[in-house]
Amino acid sequence: MAFGRSSRSRRPVEPVTLKILVAGGFGVGKTTLVGAVSEIRPLRTEERLSEAGRPVDDLDGVEAKTTTTVAMDFGRITLREDLVLYLFGTPGQDRFWFLWDELAQGALGAVVLADTRRLEDCFAAVDYFERRDIPFAVAVNCFEGADRFPTETVQAALDLDPQVPVLMCDARDRSSVRDVLVAVVEHAVARVDRLREPATT
């Protein structure tokens, strides 16, 4: 019996898996972002804020926050049949930054989540990825009551390279977060392509 091409069962596609970090200041919405888009139950390492941490944890602007990420958040999203992203949310407080180097290993790129009410809180994340040459996009989490600014204004305030994408998003909304992740992947891939281009004389 002869088997034509049409009778063959389609081989499953082996997806490419990419690692993306989600960083930003304390209370900016990193855990919410990972949870909103993850197709699996996200791993969270949150602990209740304690009196012992009060002297070192800046709650200005996030006074209602009662928990904090102490290691990482983890989630997964399938962007296409052949492309899966693993999301690693970093802790936002200075005292947990020693974990960032471990989390950053093997990352294709990163999302820097920002809050226009406390824009300075994401400076450290921007500086971290710039120094380590990790492609990133800035996503402004549009909190209720926060002032809205054009992306150009945010880009200038953070002194970003013109090629760094800046997007407005709602960290609670799956489609909004997905758009941010697509932008990060596209930015990172375009950057790799530019580096591969032969130098012109």
Side-chain angles (χ1 to χ4, degrees), residues 93-169:
Q93 295 135 294
D94 299 9
R95 59 193 171 112
F96 295 121
W97 281 354
F98 67 92
L99 295 169
W100 283 37
D101 287 340
E102 291 290 332
L103 293 174
Q105 289 186 17
L108 172 79
V111 176
V112 175
L113 200 57
D115 178 354
T116 57
R117 299 169 300 181
R118 300 177 291 123
L119 199 58
E120 66 280 0
D121 287 0
C122 71
F123 287 169
V126 168
D127 183 63
Y128 182 90
F129 296 124
E130 286 181 342
R131 287 178 180 272
R132 285 156 183 80
D133 208 24
I134 297 174
F136 66 94
V138 173
V140 178
N141 194 6
C142 297
F143 287 93
E144 292 181 13
D147 292 332
R148 306 293 173 93
F149 298 97
T151 56
E152 296 82 3
T153 302
V154 175
Q155 196 159 40
L158 294 176
D159 193 25
L160 299 174
D161 185 285
Q163 294 175 332
V164 174
V166 177
L167 304 93
M168 301 295 149
C169 81

Side-chain angles (χ1 to χ4, degrees), residues 50-77:
S50 65
E51 286 301 319
R54 192 169 295 278
V56 292
D57 294 335
D58 183 7
L59 296 180
D60 189 30
V62 286
E63 291 84 0
K65 188 168 176 60
T66 59
T67 61
T68 183
T69 298
V70 296
M72 67 173 184
D73 298 310
F74 173 77
R76 184 188 73 197
I77 176 175

